[in-house]
Amino acid sequence: MANGSRPGIFNSPRTRRDVLRSSGLLVLGSALASACATEEGPPSSDTEVKAPEETFTEPSTKLSGSLSILLWSHFVPSHDEWFTPFAQRWGEKVGVKVTVDHIDTAQVPTRIAAEIQAGQGHDLIQHIAPLSQFEPSVLDLKDVTDEAVNRWGEQLEVCRKSSYNPATGKFYAYAPGWVPDPGNFRRSLWEEVGLPNGPSTWDELLEGGTEIKKSKGVQLGIGMSQEIDSNMAARALLWSFGASVQDENENVVLNSPEAVDAVDFMVRLFRGAMTNEVFSWNAASNNQGLVAGKMSYILNSISAWRTAQEVNPAVADDIHFTPALRGPKAALAAQHVMYNWIVPKHAKNPDAAKEFLLHYTANFALATYHSKLYDFCAWSKLTPDLDKWLKKDPFGAKPADKLAFLADAEKWCTNVGHPGPANTAIGEVFNTYILPNMFARAARGEVTPAQAVADAHAQIEPIFDKWRARGLVGGG
């Protein structure tokens, strides 16, 4: 090591000049904040709510070269309008040329696999679900997570469990944010069946949804297809009945009476309140159906409602939300989105990738604001105005406190591997859609609920065995 230098936070050489540079915190002027604020729709009060100010801290080491970023096309477009120039401004300040590519979320895992196979591609990749299945091919981001915890305190548990593998001690991803998964319902329809505040239990969903479909011809939308919302709904229903894919020790426990009861319930829900289209949905289908006024209830984030605010305001005003539905054993929902950022081993500029992740996290309040309160941070102190925004939506909610119930969403949301972690086997089960297929086979009448569960369990066990043999999954 050269005289007068010491390692930076990512073990790159750090000179005395770097130390002096990193001691300064630069805050962009209020003009930038005002400009960002006016990009959004009208606020819900007479006083305009401005975007938070963007902050900048010098990296811990000298950066150069280029940084290529791949991430999904956000369901709230204003986020992407903000993100690309935000990333490029950071690059200009630190001497790195930043390029940003957005693609459909369904294409991200396939794209990651192709780039890993080729040994080249993007330096930094984001997905909206745990990427544990790629653990052998990505860098350990423990250093980034540790630095974030050092700066901002304890990370939200659901995010930690969705990025850390306790069997290996490796952070296969960095998870700075997440999105709750509430129920979205049409109040005018549910009022007529005596539930003006929407269903609070799965039984109420079945009873009310069946009556609405019978009397109004409007179905509810719980997908059983090979897409992310179907994956989340499947887990929420299983957990609510006391079932799960794995136990807390990472052993497969799906084949249980509780799981059979959950599948049997889904069969009845489908026959009473849905139609065959739920078997061929993509990730946007339930959003589109709700916005068009063709759905009485869906499990989703707030993005469908935000879209309706712009294209169908009457429907938007009629859409309200519920927390996780209660079943016989619990009231739990999977997170709707879990932001996983990975740095593949082929990345050419990992230091820049890691420094950008810290800059992005430090400015997560901007991500929350520009996603119109879709994105939640894993460090609550970084979004100090969130509760205020939820109680008085800056983007025109009617009533203004429509989103206030999300203030305690972390209490009823959990990771996709619950009650264990989102390990490598869970990642493969998730991305091969075994659970939605299990429900669909029974709902279509191809097999009994008991057979559907037994077959799914038989598919899942070899996946766990494979990854356990490689030391990437606990239990056994």
Side-chain angles (χ1 to χ4, degrees):
M1 184 179 297
N3 187 34
S5 67
R6 65 180 179 85
I9 59 174
F10 302 127
N11 297 319
S12 296
R14 190 180 191 205
T15 65
R16 181 176 180 276
R17 180 172 178 268
D18 292 329
V19 174
L20 294 173
R21 292 169 71 218
S22 64
S23 64
L25 177 68
L26 304 179
V27 180
L28 299 183
S30 60
L32 174 60
S34 300
C36 292
T38 57
E39 292 174 4
E40 306 299 349
S44 56
S45 66
D46 294 334
T47 303
E48 185 174 355
V49 179
K50 295 181 179 181
E53 293 184 340
E54 184 175 320
T55 66
F56 172 76
T57 302
E58 289 282 357
S60 62
T61 188
K62 176 67 175 176
L63 301 175
S64 62
S66 61
L67 175 67
S68 56
I69 302 174
L70 175 69
L71 68 163
W72 73 312
S73 295
H74 203 289
F75 287 143
V76 181
S78 55
H79 172 276
D80 292 351
E81 295 169 6
W82 159 76
F83 181 85
T84 298
F86 165 79
Q88 291 174 339
R89 279 196 301 274
W90 174 82
E92 291 169 1
K93 286 181 176 293
V94 302
V96 173
K97 182 180 180 181
V98 176
T99 57
V100 178
D101 295 313
H102 295 272
I103 62 174
D104 183 272
T105 183
Q107 299 173 11
V108 174
T110 303
R111 182 69 171 270
I112 294 172
E115 292 190 2
I116 288 173
Q117 180 67 26
Q120 60 182 358
H122 291 81
D123 299 298
L124 180 61
I125 304 174
Q126 179 215 62
H127 188 41
I128 64 174
L131 292 170
S132 51
Q133 70 272 29
F134 295 114
E135 180 176 339
S137 304
V138 300
L139 298 184
D140 187 351
L141 295 185
K142 183 180 186 301
D143 49 2
V144 184
T145 305
D146 285 352
E147 179 63 21
V149 169
N150 181 56
R151 294 185 187 188
W152 303 303
E154 186 177 357
Q155 184 184 24
L156 188 66
E157 184 68 10
V158 68
C159 294
R160 183 179 180 86
K161 278 196 167 185
S162 301
S163 56
Y164 173 69
N165 187 345
T168 61
K170 180 175 179 176
F171 282 88
Y172 55 81
Y174 175 65
W178 68 294
V179 177
D181 198 32
N184 300 218
F185 71 95
R186 294 279 306 283
R187 173 164 283 178
S188 62
L189 296 173
W190 287 86
E191 279 178 336
E192 295 194 19
V193 296
L195 294 168
N197 295 319
S200 61
T201 68
W202 285 98
D203 282 342
E204 287 180 352
L205 182 71
L206 173 61
E207 294 164 8
T210 299
E211 180 58 33
I212 290 169
K213 184 173 182 289
K214 180 180 177 181
S215 62
K216 300 292 184 182
V218 180
Q219 70 161 322
L220 59 83
I222 307 293
M224 287 177 274
S225 183
Q226 296 195 358
E227 50 86 28
I228 191 168
D229 293 333
S230 297
N231 250 329
M232 300 307 184
R235 284 156 176 80
L237 184 54
L238 283 174
W239 298 329
S240 297
F241 274 75
S244 60
V245 171
Q246 65 176 0
D247 62 19
E248 61 184 7
N249 297 314
E250 302 178 76
N251 295 302
V252 180
V253 294
L254 179 62
N255 197 1
S256 65
E258 293 81 6
V260 174
D261 288 345
V263 174
D264 179 72
F265 178 89
M266 181 65 93
V267 172
R268 290 183 284 129
L269 186 65
F270 167 72
R271 291 174 179 171
M274 294 191 278
T275 64
N276 285 338
E277 65 188 82
V278 299
F279 299 127
S280 58
W281 272 2
N282 61 39
S285 297
N286 55 2
N287 298 51
Q288 294 164 350
L290 187 69
V291 171
K294 297 179 179 180
M295 298 285 164
S296 64
Y297 177 100
I298 66 172
L299 273 176
N300 207 296
S301 64
I302 66 171
S303 58
W305 164 67
R306 288 297 191 199
T307 299
Q309 283 184 294
E310 298 180 5
V311 303
N312 198 341
V315 167
D317 293 346
D318 193 34
I319 294 172
H320 290 258
F321 301 95
T322 67
L325 297 177
R326 179 162 294 281
K329 298 292 178 64
L332 279 177
Q335 82 284 330
H336 180 72
V337 160
M338 176 54 61
Y339 288 117
N340 262 209
W341 291 85
I342 60 171
V343 180
K345 288 182 177 178
H346 63 245
K348 295 180 179 178
N349 203 344
D351 279 358
K354 294 175 180 182
E355 288 285 3
F356 174 74
L357 286 175
L358 292 172
H359 175 70
Y360 165 75
T361 306
N363 286 282
F364 208 95
L366 282 165
T368 300
Y369 182 90
H370 286 285
S371 66
K372 299 184 178 180
L373 313 190
Y374 182 95
D375 292 356
F376 280 33
C377 190
W379 286 274
S380 59
K381 69 185 297 181
L382 294 177
T383 51
D385 292 328
L386 179 59
D387 283 353
K388 179 176 68 177
W389 291 341
L390 293 174
K391 291 175 182 176
K392 193 171 186 179
D393 179 48
F395 307 108
K398 296 179 182 178
D401 65 349
K402 183 174 282 190
L403 300 180
F405 79 103
L406 289 175
D408 67 349
E410 64 186 71
K411 295 180 180 178
W412 46 266
C413 289
T414 189
N415 85 92
V416 295
H418 177 83
N423 59 37
T424 314
I426 288 292
E428 182 171 340
V429 172
F430 188 93
N431 283 283
T432 50
Y433 303 100
I434 292 174
L435 295 187
N437 291 342
M438 174 184 73
F439 283 106
R441 293 179 70 218
R444 286 195 295 255
E446 297 172 3
V447 293
T448 65
Q451 189 62 52
V453 171
D455 290 347
H457 186 103
Q459 286 180 274
I460 292 170
E461 272 200 321
I463 294 173
F464 272 73
D465 290 343
K466 175 185 68 177
W467 291 112
R468 188 175 290 120
R470 297 178 63 179
L472 295 171
V473 171

